[in-house]
């Protein structure tokens, strides 16, 4: 089931896109927790990924969105956390499939690799698609 509670975080490269996503989410009734960063000043993306992942550990109903330049560093950092299934998505198709098949609880996007409109569409699909369970549950339970 999709969550209305969203944790957001970015580094400096993702800051502007994070702010646009935050605006959309708030306007559309989501409860948003913003874990930074709060400017374009250079910072270290793992710090913000870790904060968001710890918040999801406290509240597993929350879904997360992480944005850096490529989305790669954020996804690597997030997936170090056992309770996190972070997926780097580039479009609606990958967002749909990672929810249906991987039950991803964190969406990662790259602000330098995706346009604003596509990022919003990707996020909308991620937030509105449910996990299919069944054999896919067995498979994600095999993650070590
Ligand atoms: C920052 O320059 C950049 O390395 C970061 O945003 C991200 O793309 C890392 O994976």
């Amino acid at each position: 089931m999709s969550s209305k509670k969203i944790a957001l975080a970015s580094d400096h490269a993702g800051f502007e896109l994070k702010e646009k996503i935050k605006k959309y989410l708030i306007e559309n009734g989501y409860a948003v927790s913003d874990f930074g960063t709060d400017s374009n000043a250079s910072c270290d993306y793992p710090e913000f990924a870790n904060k968001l992942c710890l918040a999801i550990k406290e509240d597993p109903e929350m879904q997360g969105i992480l944005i850096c330049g490529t989305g790669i560093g954020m996804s690597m950092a997030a997936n170090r956390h056992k309770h996190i299934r972070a997926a780097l998505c580039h479009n609606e198709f990958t967002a749909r499939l990672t929810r249906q098949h991987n039950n991803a609880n964190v969406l990662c996007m790259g602000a330098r690799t995706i346009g604003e409109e596509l990022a919003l569409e990707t996020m909308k699909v991620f937030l509105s698609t449910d996990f299919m369970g069944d054999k896919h549950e067995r498979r994600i339970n095999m993650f070590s």
Side-chain angles (χ1 to χ4, degrees):
M1 175 146 166
S2 304
S3 172
K4 288 295 260 185
K5 288 191 277 187
I6 309 295
L8 264 183
S10 75
D11 70 353
H12 54 287
F15 172 67
E16 284 177 16
L17 181 57
K18 172 173 72 70
E19 293 303 301
K20 285 172 182 151
I21 282 175
K22 181 161 69 174
K23 182 171 183 289
Y24 173 88
L25 290 171
I26 290 169
E27 285 174 0
N28 285 276
Y30 288 87
V32 177
S33 302
D34 185 349
F35 294 94
T37 186
D38 56 9
S39 77
N40 289 314
S42 183
C43 62
D44 300 326
Y45 60 83
E47 178 185 340
F48 299 94
N50 290 340
K51 283 183 188 168
L52 179 142
C53 293
L54 291 176
I56 293 178
K57 192 168 194 179
E58 294 296 313
D59 185 356
E61 278 186 16
M62 215 161 32
Q63 289 179 302
I65 301 173
L66 288 170
I67 304 165
C68 63
T70 58
I72 296 172
M74 282 295 200
S75 60
M76 287 180 168
N79 278 316
R80 292 297 184 101
H81 296 257
K82 283 272 183 195
H83 62 290
I84 296 293
R85 290 173 305 281
L88 173 56
C89 295
H90 297 98
N91 49 43
E92 296 98 320
F93 181 77
T94 46
R96 178 173 301 107
L97 267 290
T98 199
R99 285 289 310 127
Q100 289 179 335
H101 290 194
N102 314 124
N103 200 15
N105 54 0
V106 174
L107 168 65
C108 300
M109 293 187 288
R112 293 171 177 160
T113 66
I114 196 168
E116 182 187 327
E117 286 306 313
L118 184 54
L120 283 172
E121 293 309 313
T122 299
M123 178 190 70
K124 287 182 206 170
V125 170
F126 186 90
L127 296 180
S128 63
T129 304
D130 288 333
F131 180 45
M132 291 171 74
D134 194 35
K135 65 186 176 190
H136 302 294
E137 179 132 41
R138 180 178 73 243
R139 291 168 184 163
I140 64 170
N141 285 337
M142 292 168 75
F143 292 172
S144 54

